[in-house]
Amino acid sequence: MSVGETPKSGTAPAERGRMDKRRAIVEAALRVFSRVGYTQASLDMIATEAGVAKPTIYNHLGSKENLFRHVMTETAARSNAKTLQVLESFPNDPDQLRPGLQDVAHKLVDCYCDEQSEAVRRLLYAEAVRFPDLFDEVRASGPNQFTDALAGRLARLANAGHLRIEDPERAANQFIALVYDELPELSALGTRPLVPDQVEKIVAAGVDTFLRAFGADRPAAGPNSAG
């Protein structure tokens, strides 16, 4: 998957060339950082990977630290734009709620488990001590936006009486956890392929658990409820 976006046809050749070169640098930097880590990576390695001269990296994105920060936030933001498209098929028909949520869950898992998303996630945790502020920056440029958008969709279903949700943001986080959180361990943080049957079972079980917890036909909580 390309990190960059195809320039518009009306873009001037010089500007298009600059965008293409910048995209090549970002893509190459992500591959190098993912392969050898931040400490071992060098601008010489990234320049060779991108097929550009080292001064070109400085001209576009500055130092290695600035490049790393940019790669992480930009890749997260662009991956998030793809993830947000998942919600275009979010179900509104109560009769299609279960299959609709399963479809959303499968598409979400595909986005979260793609090569670039996994690379960013591994790097984010690996460099958390060196860049303690970067975690929040990456979350703000990517996953938090999706969670907020998903919470909005869930709130609409709750307002229509199709779900029973008191805290849509928490429900959104729980939906994501139910359909995804087992997968990083199974894939060794994206370093080995997932078995489709396993993914199918996890997604189906996650959606079933979510609907048991938040479905409109579940018993209402009361003063005598357990827990």
Side-chain angles (χ1 to χ4, degrees):
M1 180 180 72
S2 174
V3 175
E5 298 172 349
T6 303
K8 295 180 180 180
S9 58
T11 305
E15 179 63 20
R16 184 165 61 247
R18 179 177 175 82
M19 291 168 63
D20 289 344
K21 194 165 291 186
R22 183 186 182 93
R23 181 172 65 245
I25 293 169
V26 170
E27 291 179 341
L30 180 60
R31 291 194 298 271
V32 172
F33 285 133
S34 179
R35 190 164 62 237
V36 304
Y38 176 82
T39 301
Q40 296 300 319
S42 70
L43 293 185
D44 287 320
M45 294 168 64
I46 293 168
T48 299
E49 184 89 12
V52 301
K54 184 176 177 180
T56 302
I57 297 179
Y58 284 113
N59 291 338
H60 281 267
L61 294 159
S63 66
K64 185 173 85 167
E65 179 178 335
N66 287 340
L67 174 59
F68 182 73
R69 289 179 177 276
H70 180 85
V71 166
M72 295 289 282
T73 55
E74 179 174 311
T75 305
R78 293 186 176 182
S79 294
N80 188 58
K82 178 182 176 183
T83 306
L84 285 171
Q85 294 177 0
V86 168
L87 296 180
E88 293 177 2
S89 61
F90 195 84
N92 293 309
D93 183 351
D95 293 333
Q96 295 299 315
L97 191 54
R98 185 182 301 275
L101 287 177
Q102 287 182 335
D103 180 61
V104 167
H106 276 293
K107 291 176 180 177
L108 175 63
V109 166
D110 287 343
C111 290
Y112 277 12
C113 293
D114 75 13
E115 184 178 354
Q116 289 187 350
S117 295
E118 294 283 22
V120 167
R121 200 170 293 113
R122 289 195 301 272
L123 285 166
L124 189 64
Y125 293 134
E127 302 298 337
V129 174
R130 188 186 304 274
F131 300 104
D133 60 318
L134 191 56
F135 183 87
D136 290 336
E137 291 182 37
V138 171
R139 293 289 304 180
S141 63
N144 286 354
Q145 295 179 25
F146 177 80
T147 302
D148 289 345
L150 176 58
R153 301 301 197 283
L154 293 175
R156 289 183 200 174
L157 288 173
N159 290 336
H162 305 321
L163 293 174
R164 297 169 65 96
I165 293 176
E166 296 179 0
D167 186 338
E169 184 175 353
R170 178 167 293 172
N173 278 310
Q174 290 172 339
F175 178 82
I176 295 168
L178 285 168
V179 302
Y180 169 73
D181 273 10
E182 290 183 56
L183 300 180
E185 181 177 353
L186 290 175
S187 68
L189 299 179
T191 60
R192 61 189 179 210
L194 290 163
V195 177
D197 285 349
Q198 285 183 312
V199 176
E200 176 65 36
K201 289 178 181 178
I202 289 169
V203 166
V207 171
D208 285 345
T209 301
F210 182 83
L211 289 175
R212 282 197 297 271
F214 298 107
D217 56 350
R218 71 176 175 85
N224 298 320
S225 297

